[in-house]
Amino acid sequence: MSKPAAPLKGRAARLARLMPSTGPSTAARTPFVLLVVLLLGGGLITLLLLNSALNEGSFRLSELKRDTTELTDEQQALQRDVDGRSQPDALERRARELGMVPGGSPAFLDPDGTVRGNPTEATAPPSPSPSPTPSPRAPAGAAPDPDATATGASGSASPSGPAPAAETDSATAPTAESTPPPTSPGR
């Protein structure tokens, strides 16, 4: 057997009393070391998850910015289209394609029911009649296609061109003969 350790004397004895013995100290440090390792591992895993979430958010943000840019470009293109169609000459051309004609002089109704002004029917201004031309596919001796000459500017076939709009207006618009003569309310 081994000899027991010799008792320490002097300063070494005092230091030995201040420091605990080596046997129980390793058992007391094990939970602390495990706690530190678990905290460091948990911190690293949390940092990794946080970094992944931030990267995913940055990808989503760049995708939303790209979508916003595309939608802004589309909105500007649509606004240019609306501005082009809102110009007076474009509105007039589209109205004529729809068979609309400039209005006549207006008449107004007073609160007591009297008519102020002389209402007139809106009529289409005389337009140059297009001369029927044979289609390029038709032979030289063939008669022109009757549907081609009856097609209006809007592409719809109507036997009488823009005249039906004027007939409709004349059927619903009051004429000067059917309205009572204007009277002044004494002003």
Side-chain angles (χ1 to χ4, degrees), residues 26-43:
T26 58
R29 288 184 188 165
T30 305
F32 177 71
V33 170
L34 285 175
L35 178 67
V36 169
V37 168
L38 286 175
L39 285 176
L40 286 175

Side-chain angles (χ1 to χ4, degrees), residues 11-88:
R11 187 173 179 172
R14 280 183 273 156
L15 285 174
R17 279 185 275 161
L18 290 175
M19 296 182 64
S21 63
T22 59
S25 70
T26 58
R29 288 184 188 165
T30 305
F32 177 71
V33 170
L34 285 175
L35 178 67
V36 169
V37 168
L38 286 175
L39 285 176
L40 286 175
L44 286 175
I45 290 174
T46 304
L47 186 61
L48 178 66
L49 292 174
L50 183 64
N51 193 14
S52 297
L54 288 175
N55 283 339
E56 182 180 338
S58 112
F59 285 133
R60 179 76 178 137
L61 180 65
S62 65
E63 180 182 326
L64 289 174
K65 282 183 179 180
R66 183 177 38 89
D67 290 347
T68 301
T69 303
E70 289 174 3
L71 290 173
T72 301
D73 292 344
E74 183 180 350
Q75 182 215 8
Q76 290 174 352
L78 291 172
Q79 187 63 44
R80 281 192 303 270
D81 188 34
V82 166
D83 291 343
R85 291 176 186 250
S86 297
Q87 294 175 350

Side-chain angles (χ1 to χ4, degrees), residues 130-153:
S131 60
T133 57
S135 64
R137 291 179 280 167
D145 185 15
D147 290 337
T149 58
T151 304

